Amino acid sequence: MKKLQIEIPIILPGVPDDKDPCVQNFIKVIREEKGVEDVHVAKLKEKGGVPQLCFHYNPSQITIGRIRKLAKQVGSTITEQIGHQLLEVKGIRHTRHARSIEQALKSLEGMLEISVSLSGMVRVEYDKKFLNDAKVLDALRKEGLTIPNTAVNAKQYLNQINKHAKVDKHTEEKHTHAGVFGEKTDLYFSIISGLFLLLGFSLTFISSVPQWLTIGVFGVSYLFGGYYTLIESIESLSKKMFEVDLLMLVAAIGAASLGKWTEGALLLFLFSLGHALEHHAMNKANKSIKALADLAPKTALLKLNGEVKEVNIERLSVGDTIVVRPDSKIAVDGVVTLGQSSVDQSAITGESIPVDKMAVEDTNIDYSKEKNISAESRVYAGTINGSGSLEVKVIKLAKDSTLSNLIKLVNEAQTQKSPTQRFTDKFERIFVPSILMLVVILLGAFLVIDETFKDSFYRAMTVLVASSPCALAISTPSAVLSGVARAAKGGVLIKGGRPLEDLGMLSALAFDKTGTLTEGKPKLTDIVAFGDITETEILKIAIAVESLSDHPLAHAIVRDGSQRLNGEDSYEAHNMESVTGKGLKAEVNGDVIYIGNLTLHNNIYDVMPNEDIVSKINTLEEQGNT
């Protein structure tokens, strides 16, 4: 018996993870092959690694080559049969609404898997025998959702959008809770409810105020606090679903029937406030995630036959050459073919300090097929060029860029529910109807025990009010979504709710490079003088030369060095030349001055630093002073 491991993305392109139904279908088919004893998802040695399938086989019956060929054939067949879509939609109001959409679309014939995120991302997997993209879109539309042109599936949708434009506008307004106060109507309604609740509660302490007036004030609080709860309850009942909105509404009505107007109004106020804050968190998360998409410019300067013209990045092809001007964003992934500059790529790689870039030695190589491109020549979409002008050869289409893949990862992460989310979803589906059944049973208690209907009714309503799960309804989904989005805004990509929850149990973190942990604000830490020159003299020369450069390290030397000089004037430098990645040179008082790292001395002139200097540099670098 022997084993073979193959990465899932190689066999099943487009499948997001090992939980995908395609993986299980693949395993089922391969296990039937003669000589294959077992196939299973391999346990990853490192979290975040590429998921793999482990094949256990008998080498006397089947070869490795046959397994690889068979795996690709079966994988190709399965991916052709099963459609995958990651869609952006508008109109999802809250978690219960997202769950009701999931339930509605799961009933479609051929729907294998669907996950709907509060933020508006929908991931669907379906059997192409029964469903296609158009039918999925139509089903989403029937749920009152709209699909913007910027969605992943925009091309298929363009044919339908004009036809339903008026309906879309209406449903979009309806489902974003728009109203007299715009998108924040639900928040203002909740605040109004709270104000009238406070007023009504205050009136209960004034004996001269008639009861009908107090009840009227609480009634206004009920109206504003329960408006959207009533709408949601009617909608869920129309789909034969018992959601927590219904439980809250019935509990508030029950409290009012007992004369406990304060408690009922408080329930509706808290629930509506949680509802509004959830909506606010969703909008904030969406803005954070959309900020990623705004990193890359929409156009680029294409150089063709010696002429430069501005084109949409979607028109760029692999092998095209674009011009990147100083202080502008780089539009695509590529390699530098001409020019030198420093590039701020913190948004993509996490490098805290701009990275020096220079042209590749051979510009005729097809770098789109090269895996080991040097970091000093590779650039990424969404990064910011420094003061030098660059010419970049495109190695990836805009839709396949590193930035696009990052955005896709974040969007897919939103559709993956954490264990707590899954538990609360299941619990809520059971909890709500169970409480309603218990209340019905308690209402009939007077039939079997010696008490009046009024006593039974009071007990039933008390149980109903006490069981209203405000925290369950509004906490977990909002927390997970906000956590993933906030991390993405800070440059940390969390692949879903489960990894986010796992962070709370970690006892150690490993980082692949020190740059990940730096502030990105270099400082001048040490000045060491050798020979007859003084530290002050070194500073004056260094400040004079570095003041002509716009490199972050140069800025640090000039800023901190000037403070150490205490207002003493430095020298003047002229004719500065930058040597990207190594340092620079300039003229000071008639002398040619070189400032840079040890590599600069290896390539510029014959006078090499002595052993004492090299030893001191190595010691400083070991202490983190690089």
Side-chain angles (χ1 to χ4, degrees):
M1 180 82 68
K2 288 193 174 183
K3 297 179 182 179
L4 170 67
Q5 288 193 354
I6 305 178
E7 293 180 355
I8 290 177
I10 294 176
I11 309 169
L12 299 164
V15 171
D17 54 48
D18 56 327
K19 304 293 190 299
D20 194 282
C22 289
V23 176
Q24 300 306 317
N25 290 342
F26 176 88
I27 291 174
K28 184 178 179 182
V29 173
I30 291 292
R31 278 177 177 166
E32 296 176 357
E33 187 69 17
K34 185 178 180 181
V36 178
E37 302 294 333
D38 188 28
V39 184
H40 62 88
V41 176
K43 193 172 182 179
L44 293 177
K45 293 181 181 179
E46 53 184 75
K47 286 192 175 183
V50 179
Q52 300 180 339
L53 285 175
C54 183
F55 298 78
H56 297 249
Y57 67 99
N58 188 336
S60 63
Q61 293 180 311
I62 191 168
T63 64
I64 289 180
R66 171 62 182 160
I67 290 177
R68 288 185 181 278
K69 186 176 181 180
L70 183 67
K72 287 187 177 181
Q73 288 175 344
V74 174
S76 176
T77 302
I78 289 175
T79 50
E80 285 177 5
Q81 291 175 349
I82 297 178
H84 294 77
Q85 279 284 356
L86 182 64
L87 311 167
E88 179 190 357
V89 300
K90 286 188 176 181
I92 298 177
R93 304 187 291 279
H94 48 74
T95 316
R96 278 87 63 213
H97 186 211
R99 189 166 60 242
S100 71
I101 294 169
E102 284 183 5
Q103 295 297 323
L105 267 70
K106 274 182 182 177
S107 63
L108 293 175
E109 185 180 12
M111 183 63 71
L112 302 175
E113 185 71 28
I114 177 168
S115 181
V116 181
S117 165
L118 175 65
S119 64
M121 297 308 301
V122 179
R123 182 165 62 90
V124 292
E125 296 164 19
Y126 54 88
D127 190 333
K128 291 182 179 179
K129 291 180 183 177
F130 305 99
L131 288 173
N132 55 37
D133 294 342
K135 288 182 179 179
V136 171
L137 291 174
D138 191 50
L140 289 169
R141 290 182 53 77
K142 287 180 179 176
E143 292 300 313
L145 302 177
T146 58
I147 299 92
N149 294 351
T150 54
V152 178
N153 56 299
K155 281 189 177 179
Q156 295 103 330
Y157 184 66
L158 283 175
N159 295 329
Q160 302 180 41
I161 195 164
N162 291 330
K163 181 179 177 183
H164 301 285
K166 291 183 179 179
V167 178
D168 285 349
K169 186 176 181 181
H170 170 72
T171 53
E172 184 174 349
E173 286 180 358
K174 173 187 172 185
H175 293 301
T176 52
H177 282 180
V180 291
F181 300 116
E183 286 192 0
K184 292 186 177 180
T185 299
D186 52 353
L187 179 60
Y188 292 127
F189 271 30
S190 178
I191 292 172
I192 294 171
S193 173
L195 292 174
F196 276 91
L197 166 64
L198 186 61
L199 177 60
F201 182 69
S202 301
L203 293 177
T204 58
F205 292 96
I206 304 174
S207 57
S208 60
V209 175
Q211 187 178 14
W212 63 264
L213 180 58
T214 304
I215 293 175
V217 171
F218 280 126
V220 176
S221 178
Y222 262 66
L223 176 64
F224 283 96
Y227 178 77
Y228 287 113
T229 304
L230 176 62
I231 292 175
E232 306 297 345
S233 300
I234 294 172
E235 187 171 311
S236 61
L237 281 174
S238 68
K239 295 180 181 179
K240 299 179 181 179
M241 295 175 64
F242 293 94
E243 295 285 358
V244 72
D245 300 86
L246 176 64
L247 185 58
M248 300 297 288
L249 186 65
V250 175
I253 294 172
S257 65
L258 295 174
K260 305 294 182 181
W261 288 91
T262 305
E263 289 82 350
L266 180 62
L267 268 181
L268 291 177
F269 164 66
L270 290 175
F271 190 62
S272 64
L273 181 62
H275 204 301
L277 293 178
E278 183 182 43
H279 191 214
H280 176 70
M282 178 184 71
N283 288 337
K284 200 170 182 181
N286 282 338
K287 288 177 182 177
S288 298
I289 293 165
K290 282 182 171 58
L292 279 175
D294 294 334
L295 285 177
K298 302 297 183 285
T299 60
L301 296 175
L302 174 64
K303 186 176 182 180
L304 192 63
N305 300 325
E307 295 183 2
V308 177
K309 63 176 181 178
E310 188 173 9
V311 298
N312 191 293
I313 59 171
E314 303 297 336
R315 291 182 56 189
L316 294 176
S317 303
V318 173
D320 285 346
T321 297
I322 65 169
V323 175
V324 183
R325 290 172 177 163
D327 302 317
S328 63
K329 287 184 178 180
I330 298 173
V332 291
D333 285 12
V335 293
V336 179
T337 57
L338 184 65
Q340 295 181 349
S341 187
S342 58
V343 175
D344 179 358
Q345 52 189 42
S346 57
I348 304 298
T349 66
E351 296 282 352
S352 55
I353 295 177
V355 180
D356 293 323
K357 302 291 180 180
M358 60 179 59
V360 293
E361 294 181 2
D362 188 351
T363 59
N364 295 318
I365 296 176
D366 183 2
Y367 287 97
S368 64
K369 297 179 181 178
E370 290 286 322
K371 291 186 177 179
N372 298 316
I373 302 173
S374 65
E376 63 183 13
S377 299
R378 182 167 194 157
V379 293
Y380 302 94
T383 56
I384 304 171
N385 185 27
S387 59
S389 182
L390 299 174
E391 287 191 9
V392 174
K393 180 180 282 188
V394 180
I395 61 173
K396 286 184 180 180
L397 298 176
K399 65 182 180 65
D400 299 322
S401 70
T402 304
L403 178 61
S404 296
N405 289 331
L406 289 180
I407 295 169
K408 185 178 179 183
L409 272 175
V410 176
N411 285 332
E412 283 183 347
Q414 296 175 71
T415 66
Q416 298 172 15
K417 295 181 179 179
S418 71
T420 305
Q421 276 180 280
R422 294 182 185 278
F423 171 76
T424 53
D425 284 353
K426 290 179 181 178
F427 182 75
E428 191 179 327
R429 283 199 296 268
I430 299 170
F431 180 78
V432 174
S434 298
I435 291 298
L436 291 175
M437 288 177 61
L438 176 61
V439 169
V440 172
I441 292 171
L442 290 174
L443 282 173
F446 73 97
L447 298 174
V448 293
I449 61 176
D450 186 20
E451 66 177 16
T452 64
F453 172 74
K454 183 179 179 180
D455 292 334
S456 297
F457 181 79
Y458 190 90
R459 184 188 298 108
M461 291 303 103
T462 302
V463 169
L464 185 61
V465 173
S467 302
S468 301
C470 281
L472 176 68
I474 64 179
S475 57
T476 306
S478 301
V480 170
L481 179 61
S482 297
V484 171
R486 180 65 186 85
K489 190 175 182 181
V492 180
L493 301 181
I494 300 176
K495 294 181 68 176
R498 177 180 286 277
L500 182 66
E501 290 192 2
D502 288 343
L503 286 175
M505 298 179 285
L506 295 185
S507 58
L509 281 173
F511 295 89
D512 66 336
K513 57 187 177 183
T514 55
T516 309
L517 304 176
T518 56
E519 292 182 15
K521 299 175 182 177
K523 299 175 182 177
L524 178 60
T525 61
D526 294 85
I527 304 169
V528 182
F530 289 88
D532 297 332
I533 194 169
T534 64
E535 290 185 5
T536 301
E537 189 73 6
I538 291 175
L539 267 182
K540 287 183 177 181
I541 295 172
I543 291 171
V545 176
E546 298 286 13
S547 63
L548 301 178
S549 171
D550 61 356
H551 195 280
L553 296 182
H555 290 165
I557 291 172
V558 173
R559 181 192 66 235
D560 297 347
S562 298
Q563 290 179 357
R564 296 197 185 200
L565 285 179
N566 292 320
E568 192 174 340
D569 292 335
S570 62
Y571 301 129
E572 285 191 13
H574 308 279
N575 302 324
M576 189 273 287
E577 294 180 21
S578 176
V579 185
T580 303
K582 299 172 183 177
L584 43 81
K585 74 172 184 176
E587 293 181 11
V588 178
N589 296 336
D591 293 324
V592 177
I593 304 296
Y594 292 88
I595 298 181
N597 52 32
L598 290 176
T599 311
L600 175 71
H601 295 79
N602 293 334
N603 293 275
I604 299 299
Y605 60 97
D606 296 332
V607 182
M608 293 298 297
N610 59 40
E611 290 184 5
D612 289 341
I613 293 176
V614 174
S615 175
K616 184 61 178 178
I617 289 173
N618 290 335
T619 301
L620 287 167
E621 288 186 343
E622 287 172 3
Q623 296 170 354
N625 303 298
T626 55

